[in-house]
Protein backbone atom coordinates (compact mmCIF):
# COMPACT_ATOMS: atom_id res chain seq x y z
CA UNK A 1 0.00 0.00 0.00
CA UNK A 2 1.21 3.48 -0.76
CA UNK A 3 1.53 6.05 2.01
CA UNK A 4 2.55 9.69 2.03
CA UNK A 5 3.72 11.44 5.17
CA UNK A 6 6.05 14.17 6.26
CA UNK A 7 9.05 13.02 8.29
CA UNK A 8 11.01 15.82 9.96
CA UNK A 9 9.79 18.27 7.33
CA UNK A 10 10.45 16.01 4.32
CA UNK A 11 7.52 14.63 2.35
CA UNK A 12 7.87 10.91 1.65
CA UNK A 13 5.70 8.72 -0.57
CA UNK A 14 6.44 5.02 -0.45
CA UNK A 15 4.94 1.56 -0.77
CA UNK A 16 4.83 -0.28 2.56
CA UNK A 17 3.48 -3.59 3.80
CA UNK A 18 0.10 -3.25 5.50
CA UNK A 19 1.56 -4.50 8.78
CA UNK A 20 4.68 -2.30 8.82
CA UNK A 21 5.09 -0.47 12.11
CA UNK A 22 5.85 3.24 12.16
CA UNK A 23 9.07 2.58 14.09
CA UNK A 24 10.37 0.40 11.25
CA UNK A 25 9.44 2.98 8.63
CA UNK A 26 11.13 5.78 10.56
CA UNK A 27 14.32 3.82 11.25
CA UNK A 28 14.49 2.76 7.58
CA UNK A 29 14.60 6.48 6.77
CA UNK A 30 17.64 7.11 8.95
CA UNK A 31 16.07 8.26 12.20
CA UNK A 32 18.09 6.17 14.63
CA UNK A 33 17.04 8.14 17.73
CA UNK A 34 13.83 6.09 17.68
CA UNK A 35 14.71 2.95 19.62
CA UNK A 36 13.23 -0.50 20.12
CA UNK A 37 12.80 -1.27 23.78
CA UNK A 38 9.93 -3.31 25.08
CA UNK A 39 7.79 -3.50 21.92
CA UNK A 40 4.77 -3.54 24.24
CA UNK A 41 4.12 0.23 24.52
CA UNK A 42 5.58 0.46 28.01
CA UNK A 43 9.05 2.00 27.81
CA UNK A 44 8.80 5.26 25.82
CA UNK A 45 11.99 4.62 23.82
CA UNK A 46 10.16 4.80 20.49
CA UNK A 47 8.36 8.09 21.16
CA UNK A 48 7.83 10.39 18.18
CA UNK A 49 5.50 13.31 17.56
CA UNK A 50 2.55 12.54 15.29
CA UNK A 51 1.07 15.91 14.36
CA UNK A 52 2.92 17.39 17.34
CA UNK A 53 1.50 14.87 19.86
CA UNK A 54 3.69 12.15 21.42
CA UNK A 55 2.93 8.59 20.31
CA UNK A 56 4.71 5.27 20.70
CA UNK A 57 5.82 4.37 17.19
CA UNK A 58 5.99 0.65 18.06
CA UNK A 59 2.21 0.76 18.45
CA UNK A 60 1.26 2.65 15.29
CA UNK A 61 1.06 1.16 11.82
CA UNK A 62 2.92 3.18 9.21
CA UNK A 63 -0.29 3.23 7.16
CA UNK A 64 -2.08 5.07 10.01
CA UNK A 65 0.52 7.83 9.77
CA UNK A 66 -0.25 8.48 6.09
CA UNK A 67 -1.29 12.07 5.59
CA UNK A 68 0.29 13.14 8.86
CA UNK A 69 3.49 14.79 10.06
CA UNK A 70 6.03 12.79 12.06
CA UNK A 71 8.81 14.46 14.04
CA UNK A 72 11.69 12.61 15.67
CA UNK A 73 14.55 13.89 17.79
CA UNK A 74 16.51 14.40 14.57
CA UNK A 75 13.92 17.02 13.62
CA UNK A 76 14.15 18.82 16.97
CA UNK A 77 17.91 19.24 17.35
CA UNK A 78 17.93 22.89 18.46
CA UNK A 79 15.09 22.51 20.94
CA UNK A 80 16.47 19.23 22.26
CA UNK A 81 20.05 20.48 22.62
CA UNK A 82 18.99 23.31 24.92
CA UNK A 83 17.20 20.92 27.27
CA UNK A 84 19.50 17.90 26.85
CA UNK A 85 22.45 19.77 28.31
CA UNK A 86 20.67 19.99 31.64
CA UNK A 87 20.17 16.22 31.69
CA UNK A 88 23.83 15.63 30.81
CA UNK A 89 24.88 18.09 33.55
CA UNK A 90 23.35 15.75 36.12
CA UNK A 91 25.14 12.68 34.75
CA UNK A 92 21.77 11.21 33.88
CA UNK A 93 22.71 10.10 30.39
CA UNK A 94 24.93 7.17 31.54
CA UNK A 95 24.37 4.65 28.71
CA UNK A 96 22.24 7.07 26.67
CA UNK A 97 19.83 4.45 25.35
CA UNK A 98 16.73 6.01 26.94
CA UNK A 99 17.68 9.64 26.28
CA UNK A 100 15.95 10.18 22.91
CA UNK A 101 12.56 8.92 24.13
CA UNK A 102 12.97 10.69 27.45
CA UNK A 103 13.81 13.99 25.76
CA UNK A 104 10.91 13.64 23.30
CA UNK A 105 8.47 13.10 26.16
CA UNK A 106 9.92 15.94 28.22
CA UNK A 107 9.60 18.30 25.24
CA UNK A 108 5.99 17.15 24.81
CA UNK A 109 5.36 17.91 28.48
CA UNK A 110 6.88 21.39 28.17
CA UNK A 111 4.67 22.10 25.16
CA UNK A 112 1.54 21.09 27.10
CA UNK A 113 2.62 22.62 30.41
CA UNK A 114 5.53 25.06 30.18
CA UNK A 115 6.17 25.04 33.95
CA UNK A 116 5.07 21.72 35.43
CA UNK A 117 5.52 20.94 39.11
CA UNK A 118 7.88 18.17 40.17
CA UNK A 119 4.90 15.89 40.74
CA UNK A 120 3.50 16.64 37.27
CA UNK A 121 6.91 15.85 35.74
CA UNK A 122 7.04 12.51 37.57
CA UNK A 123 3.51 11.61 36.48
CA UNK A 124 4.00 12.61 32.83
CA UNK A 125 7.29 10.76 32.44
CA UNK A 126 6.34 7.67 34.44
CA UNK A 127 6.18 5.54 31.28
CA UNK A 128 9.83 6.13 30.35
CA UNK A 129 12.20 3.27 31.00
CA UNK A 130 15.73 3.93 32.27
CA UNK A 131 17.69 1.04 33.69
CA UNK A 132 20.86 2.77 34.82
CA UNK A 133 20.24 6.16 36.39
CA UNK A 134 17.37 5.76 38.84
CA UNK A 135 15.59 8.79 37.32
CA UNK A 136 16.83 11.23 39.98
CA UNK A 137 19.40 12.82 37.64
CA UNK A 138 16.79 13.29 34.93
CA UNK A 139 14.40 14.84 37.43
CA UNK A 140 17.09 17.22 38.73
CA UNK A 141 17.99 18.12 35.13
CA UNK A 142 14.37 18.88 34.27
CA UNK A 143 13.82 20.99 37.37
CA UNK A 144 17.10 22.89 36.74
CA UNK A 145 16.06 23.47 33.11
CA UNK A 146 12.67 24.82 34.20
CA UNK A 147 14.28 27.15 36.75
CA UNK A 148 16.76 28.38 34.11
CA UNK A 149 13.98 28.89 31.57
CA UNK A 150 11.87 30.85 34.05
CA UNK A 151 14.86 33.02 34.97
CA UNK A 152 15.73 33.58 31.28
CA UNK A 153 12.15 34.63 30.45
CA UNK A 154 12.01 36.98 33.44
CA UNK A 155 15.20 38.68 32.26
CA UNK A 156 13.81 39.29 28.76
Amino acid sequence: MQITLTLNGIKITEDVAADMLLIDFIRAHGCKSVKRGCETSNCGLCTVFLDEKPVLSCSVLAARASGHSITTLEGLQEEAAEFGGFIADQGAEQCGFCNPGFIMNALALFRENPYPSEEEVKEYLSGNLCRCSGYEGQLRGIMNFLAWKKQKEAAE
Side-chain angles (χ1 to χ4, degrees), residues 14 32 45-46 55 66 74 77 85 92 97 101 108 127 139 143 145 156:
E14 189 171 305
K32 302 302 183 189
L45 296 176
C46 67
V55 299
S66 189
E74 287 86 354
Q77 288 300 301
F97 194 70
L139 183 59
M143 299 316 290
F145 171 74
E156 292 176 349

Side-chain angles (χ1 to χ4, degrees), residues 76-92:
L76 298 171
Q77 288 300 301
E78 191 174 314
E79 187 177 358
E82 184 177 66
F83 166 64
F86 285 85
I87 299 297
D89 246 12
Q90 296 299 318

Side-chain angles (χ1 to χ4, degrees), residues 78-125:
E78 191 174 314
E79 187 177 358
E82 184 177 66
F83 166 64
F86 285 85
I87 299 297
D89 246 12
Q90 296 299 318
E93 78 285 354
Q94 293 185 19
C95 82
F97 194 70
C98 69
N99 282 357
F102 190 88
I103 290 172
M104 290 294 290
N105 279 301
L107 293 176
L109 168 61
F110 302 151
R111 289 174 177 193
E112 288 180 26
N113 182 354
Y115 293 103
S117 68
E118 186 171 319
E119 196 55 43
E120 289 170 321
V121 169
K122 288 178 180 178
E123 183 179 323
Y124 196 93
L125 299 176

